[in-house]
Amino acid sequence: MSTDSTSKDADLPYPPAPWHLVGTLYASLWSIPLKDLPLPLPPGTRPLTLYGRTLIGTAWAVYEPPGTLSYDELLVALRVQSDNRTCTYVPLIWVDSPASVAGARAMWGIPKEFASFGKRITDDSFEASAAHGDNVFASLNFRPRVSLPGRWPLRTSIVQTHGEGVRLSRARASARIETGRAEWHFATHSPLRFLGNYTPLLSARLSEMKLTFGL
């Protein structure tokens, strides 16, 4: 999505915070050398590293009724240190909801862009693609393997560049978790192509997810 169209979307109405979202998220965790990380960071933050490598998360979410909004989402996240606090930073994210783009940018400094999504969901697989126009830039094929018992709580603080400074917001979620196998593909023109030479360390499906964002 171009900067001009994103600016126009910033004037669209959007729900007030917090957003209560419901759906399913397919996530993978990657380890890459810090030198291969091509992502700018918010002021005063640094990525968490171990032996010169940093962890990257990719996630594909499908948010559905009765949540605050219903939309598909693809994102990249990493853990960073900010003022002696460990936070999550989201440098790249795409959705198919103009209201989600407008609200995330205005309230939290999350740089959502618009994309079109295709998906096919069955009990034992999830296939999805994200595109700008006719150009697919990312796709995912996920197959679940092992279900973990119970529901798992998740909490994080999100730090983002907002104006000339940073904005800190919070999120909490709970979901059922199934480990699985994820096959990601990124086009040569994709902003995610820096992950193309790596394989996820682990992948999981977070189902029956309830997420409260923007606390």
Side-chain angles (χ1 to χ4, degrees):
M1 186 174 188
S2 68
T3 302
D4 288 342
S5 56
T6 299
S7 298
K8 293 175 184 177
D9 281 340
D11 297 328
L12 293 173
Y14 51 84
W19 290 357
H20 302 283
L21 303 175
V22 177
T24 305
L25 183 141
Y26 304 84
S28 292
L29 187 65
W30 314 66
S31 172
I32 71 169
L34 183 60
K35 64 181 179 61
D36 291 342
L37 182 68
L39 305 172
L41 298 173
T45 67
R46 59 180 178 82
L48 297 183
T49 59
L50 180 65
Y51 300 115
R53 303 180 74 87
T54 190
L55 293 177
I56 300 286
T58 53
W60 209 301
V62 180
Y63 299 119
E64 302 171 317
T68 301
L69 289 171
S70 299
Y71 58 93
D72 286 10
E73 179 175 82
L74 169 63
L75 65 86
V76 172
L78 64 152
R79 299 290 277 172
V80 299
Q81 197 76 16
S82 175
D83 293 332
N84 297 317
R85 182 197 301 254
T86 301
C87 302
T88 299
Y89 167 54
V90 181
L92 297 170
I93 181 169
W94 297 267
V95 299
D96 58 359
S97 163
S100 180
V101 171
R105 285 177 170 264
M107 293 189 289
W108 307 303
I110 297 175
K112 289 189 178 181
E113 297 188 35
F114 194 85
S116 58
F117 291 82
K119 62 181 180 288
R120 189 176 75 88
I121 305 173
T122 67
D123 290 340
D124 59 1
S125 70
F126 173 79
E127 299 175 12
S129 61
H132 291 134
D134 295 329
N135 297 316
V136 173
F137 63 89
S139 62
L140 169 64
N141 186 318
F142 179 89
R143 295 184 180 277
R145 287 182 172 173
V146 179
S147 297
L148 304 183
R151 292 184 64 87
W152 292 70
L154 303 165
R155 291 177 179 267
T156 190
S157 295
I158 299 93
V159 61
Q160 299 291 143
T161 301
H162 195 255
E164 297 181 357
V166 297
R167 179 67 178 268
L168 192 69
S169 53
R170 292 179 294 131
R172 67 169 182 257
S174 67
R176 298 188 181 279
I177 297 179
E178 300 166 89
T179 62
R181 175 181 174 82
E183 296 179 356
W184 293 84
H185 298 282
F186 308 113
T188 56
H189 63 273
S190 172
L192 303 176
R193 61 185 178 277
F194 69 94
L195 292 172
N197 294 326
Y198 302 97
T199 300
L201 297 175
L202 58 90
S203 300
R205 176 169 67 183
L206 283 64
S207 59
E208 299 178 28
M209 182 177 65
K210 296 181 179 179
L211 167 65
T212 300
F213 195 97
L215 296 164

